[in-house]
Structures are given as C-alpha cells and as structure tokens.
Amino acid sequence: MKCQDLLAALNAYLDGEIDPQLCEVLQRHLQGCNPCRVVVDTLRQTVTLYKGEEPYELPPELHERLHNYLRQKWQAKFKTKV
C-alpha cells in the first residue's frame, strides 16, 4: 500500500466503515510509515476535540466584517485570474 492509497481510504478508516481486510492492510502500512501515522493520529485528535462541541455563534458585527473581507479576497483573486 502506498501513502496516497491510505489517504484515499482515510475517512472510512477513521469512521470504522472500512472492509476488515483493507483495515489490516492500512494498519500494517501505518506501522511502517511515520508520516501517515502522524496524519491519522492528528485527525483522530481533531475529531476527538471537536466531537460534541457546541457551535460558537459569531457576533453579528464580526460575522459581517469577516463576510465582507472574504468577499473582497475572493473578488481580488477572481479578477487576477481572468
């Protein structure tokens, strides 16, 4: 298995929705591939941190400022590519 194969199956692997045989192949790959192990561990920690958290509502003023800023950035990027 190559790293790109692991990354393609990563969501199903982390969700526990992967074929058991493929899961074994992925686990063997992870034993010998530190970069992939770091990616998987980081994603697991991220999911654990955010699971069950309540969404944070931005104050209306901040929401509007952020929306306007992102719109300006998007428009500037779009204009430079046309």
Side-chain angles (χ1 to χ4, degrees), residues 30-46:
L30 289 171
Q31 288 175 352
C33 184
N34 190 53
C36 284
R37 195 168 43 248
V38 168
V39 168
V40 170
D41 290 345
T42 301
L43 285 174
R44 280 187 177 142
Q45 290 174 7
T46 301

Side-chain angles (χ1 to χ4, degrees), residues 8-23:
L10 194 54
N11 285 340
Y13 175 71
L14 290 176
D15 291 340
E17 300 172 350
I18 198 166
D19 179 81
Q21 290 178 328
L22 182 55
C23 184

Side-chain angles (χ1 to χ4, degrees), residues 20-78:
Q21 290 178 328
L22 182 55
C23 184
E24 289 178 26
V25 173
L26 289 172
Q27 289 173 341
R28 279 195 304 271
H29 177 84
L30 289 171
Q31 288 175 352
C33 184
N34 190 53
C36 284
R37 195 168 43 248
V38 168
V39 168
V40 170
D41 290 345
T42 301
L43 285 174
R44 280 187 177 142
Q45 290 174 7
T46 301
V47 168
T48 300
L49 284 172
Y50 287 99
K51 198 177 247 185
E53 288 292 319
E54 294 293 321
Y56 176 76
E57 292 293 324
L58 292 176
E61 304 83 27
L62 180 57
H63 182 271
E64 186 66 27
R65 283 183 23 221
L66 179 60
H67 185 77
N68 289 335
Y69 176 79
L70 292 173
R71 180 183 296 128
Q72 289 171 358
K73 288 293 185 181
W74 175 260
Q75 289 172 346
K77 185 174 183 175
F78 181 73

